[in-house]
């Protein structure tokens, strides 16, 4: 269903920022869909306790109904209220990383959150640090269920133009911020298992968690989709329309393999984009990755030839997680 979408600017210096957030908060109260900026990526939000509204999120994105949503809160007590159990590890983690790009999976306490949790016994909860997201939650007086604001399967939206492209006609209200997202979705940590496990890596890394809380988190075997606990892992994700191929191996070999492949593809009439990601600062790659993938489609590239990044630890591990998914495992080792 196509909607008449109201679009407002809430970036630095935007004149009607407060008014726009109030309009968006009213929309949430009325069971409508609102795209709002967070520090990671844009979210497509609705009142978490309004089953119909949450149903519309799945419809608007074309998201499979068995992939649960994150509930966004604006204070820690609201997160505690959602859960049956709040382990000591949760306290430590939120002290160090909330508000911020960390999502906790905990036992769900509310039977009427079924739509949000896709029927699981757990609920994912996050306190974002972006002031517009926090104001929206507070002014609506609701908790906001929100997946990333992209059409299912496409890269998450990190720029105004991505949101306009994917969400116009789908959301009732869109709040556009300046183009300065962190660029990767939040780190998802499951606290319902004996040992906490990272289900989705992000800016908050295993190493940072160890350093700041002393907690040694495990890492879910995301590379084995059938075993992956985060249901989002099993779907094709972040994929550009262009074919994305990742080259791994010693630097010089990778570069010459990319050069050769480029020549071959161009001979076959293909338009080729090269992304030498390993030569850029990791933070920049994280912030720009989804934009680069979407740009490849705007400019009608047929093939993207990319280097991997060092995925041994930290942010590199998180970046590589997204890149491998975007490539659908299309990796050439040289
Ligand atoms: O940074 C973010 O997390 C952004 C912004 C908008 O907050 N949101 C986001 O939502 O990335 P989404 O729906 O695109 O990704 C949520 C991930 C999915 O992989 C989903 O399967 C997982 O979290 N998830 C949600 N609830 C879960 C649960 N109860 N148990 C395990 N995984 C869960
Ligand atoms: Mg998503």
């Amino acid at each position: 269903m196509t909607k008449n979408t109201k679009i407002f600017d809430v970036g630095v210096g935007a004149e009607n920022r407060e008014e726009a957030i109030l309009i968006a908060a009213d929309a949430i109260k009325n069971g409508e869909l609102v795209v709002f900026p967070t520090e990671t990526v844009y979210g497509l939000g609705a009142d978490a306790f309004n089953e119909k509204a949450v149903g519309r999120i799945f419809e608007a994105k074309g998201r499979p109904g068995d992939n649960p949503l994150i509930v966004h809160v604006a204070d820690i007590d609201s997160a505690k209220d959602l859960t049956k159990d709040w382990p000591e590890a949760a306290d430590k983690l939120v002290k160090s990383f909330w508000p911020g790009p960390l999502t906790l999976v905990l036992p769900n306490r509310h039977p009427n959150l079924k739509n949000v949790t896709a029927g699981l016994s757990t609920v994912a909860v996050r306190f974002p640090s972006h002031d517009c997201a926090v104001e929206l939650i507070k002014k609506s007086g609701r908790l906001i269920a929100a997946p990333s604001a992209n059409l299912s399967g496409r890269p998450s939206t990190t720029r105004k133009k991505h949101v306009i492209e994917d969400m116009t006609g789908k959301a009732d209200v869109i709040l556009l911020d300046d183009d300065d997202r962190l660029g990767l979705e939040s780190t998802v940590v499951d606290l319902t298992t004996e040992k906490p496990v990272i289900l989705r890596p992000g800016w908050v890394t295993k190493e940072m968690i160890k350093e700041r809380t002393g907690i040694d988190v495990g890492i879910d075997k995301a590379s084995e989709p059938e075993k992956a606990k985060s249901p989002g892992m099993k779907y094709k994700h972040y994929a550009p329309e262009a074919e994305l191929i990742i080259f791994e191996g010693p630097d010089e070999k990778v570069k010459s393999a990319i050069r050769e492949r480029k020549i071959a593809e161009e001979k076959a009439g293909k338009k080729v984009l090269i992304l030498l990601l390993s030569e850029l600062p990791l933070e920049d790659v994280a912030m720009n990755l989804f934009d680069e993938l979407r740009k490849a489609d705007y400019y009608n590239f047929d093939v993207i030839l990319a280097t991997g990044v060092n995925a041994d630890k930290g942010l590199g591990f998180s970046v590589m997680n997204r890149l491998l998914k975007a490539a659908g495992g299309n990796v050439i080792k040289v």
Side-chain angles (χ1 to χ4, degrees):
M1 193 177 55
T2 304
K3 295 177 173 183
N4 187 6
T5 306
K6 294 181 202 135
I7 302 180
F8 302 99
D9 190 355
V10 293
V12 173
E15 263 180 37
N16 302 319
R17 183 180 181 282
E18 294 313 311
E19 201 186 329
I21 295 176
L22 279 178
I23 292 170
D26 274 341
I28 294 282
K29 285 189 212 167
N30 292 332
E32 297 180 335
L33 302 187
V34 173
V35 173
F36 62 100
T38 81
E39 71 280 21
T40 56
V41 300
Y42 282 87
L44 173 63
D47 175 356
F49 283 97
N50 182 333
E51 206 177 313
K52 265 198 191 151
V54 172
R56 285 189 203 115
I57 293 179
F58 286 87
E59 230 173 88
K61 281 191 60 138
R63 180 174 176 114
D66 62 349
N67 191 4
L69 309 179
I70 296 171
V71 180
H72 295 70
V73 299
D75 59 87
I76 294 171
D77 282 341
S78 300
K80 287 185 179 168
D81 174 66
L82 282 174
T83 67
K84 270 192 195 150
D85 179 34
W86 184 264
E88 204 193 328
D91 259 337
K92 287 187 181 163
L93 286 166
V94 305
K95 238 184 221 152
S96 296
F97 300 106
W98 273 11
L102 176 71
T103 295
L104 301 181
V105 173
L106 290 156
N108 175 33
R109 194 167 81 81
H110 289 275
N112 47 350
L113 274 183
K114 271 205 191 79
N115 234 1
V116 172
T117 63
L120 296 178
S121 60
T122 55
V123 62
V125 56
R126 165 162 126 79
F127 181 173
S129 64
H130 195 284
D131 49 3
C132 175
V134 172
E135 275 177 56
L136 179 65
I137 298 164
K138 286 195 170 152
K139 294 204 165 122
S140 68
R142 305 289 199 274
L143 304 187
I144 298 185
S148 50
N150 51 280
L151 297 178
S152 196
R154 301 207 67 205
S156 297
T157 48
T158 57
R159 305 280 194 270
K160 292 182 197 191
K161 58 178 189 250
H162 306 164
V163 171
I164 290 169
E165 185 178 75
D166 275 23
M167 289 292 134
T168 306
K170 302 274 183 189
D172 297 284
V173 178
I174 293 179
L175 300 178
L176 293 175
D177 189 24
D178 301 326
D179 284 340
D180 56 3
R181 313 268 74 73
L182 288 173
L184 297 183
E185 309 84 349
S186 62
T187 303
V188 179
V189 176
D190 187 355
L191 291 178
T192 66
T193 44
E194 209 172 307
K195 176 180 165 141
V197 173
I198 292 185
L199 299 179
R200 178 176 72 184
W203 277 84
V204 174
T205 63
K206 178 180 163 70
E207 293 78 13
M208 282 162 69
I209 291 175
K210 177 77 186 164
E211 194 184 304
R212 295 212 208 150
T213 68
I215 300 170
D216 184 23
V217 292
I219 292 193
D220 192 63
K221 290 204 168 52
S223 51
E224 296 170 84
E226 67 285 357
K227 284 193 194 158
K229 222 179 155 194
S230 185
M233 298 287 190
K234 69 180 188 232
Y235 303 105
K236 189 173 173 189
H237 245 96
Y238 316 118
E241 274 153 47
E243 182 189 10
L244 170 60
I245 308 171
I246 301 165
F247 289 76
E248 284 191 326
D251 210 37
E252 280 317 305
K253 272 182 132 178
V254 160
K255 279 190 190 148
S256 77
I258 286 181
R259 259 194 310 271
E260 274 169 33
R261 180 69 181 244
K262 178 173 192 279
I263 292 167
E265 294 283 356
E266 284 177 346
K267 261 194 193 146
K270 301 275 173 68
K271 193 171 163 189
V272 179
L273 175 67
I274 292 181
L275 295 178
L276 299 178
L277 303 177
S278 53
E279 303 199 336
L280 303 167
L282 269 177
E283 286 78 7
D284 289 357
V285 178
M287 286 191 275
N288 298 316
L289 182 63
F290 293 145
D291 187 41
E292 290 297 337
L293 296 178
R294 280 178 177 259
K295 256 193 221 152
D297 290 340
Y298 294 137
Y299 295 112
N300 292 313
F301 283 96
D302 302 299
V303 183
I304 309 169
L305 306 177
T307 62
V309 299
N310 183 350
D312 288 349
K313 59 177 169 45
L315 192 56
F317 180 78
S318 310
V319 166
M320 206 52 193
N321 166 276
R322 303 303 193 278
L323 197 57
L324 285 169
K325 279 182 208 289
N330 199 355
V331 177
I332 294 179
K333 292 204 157 71
V334 294

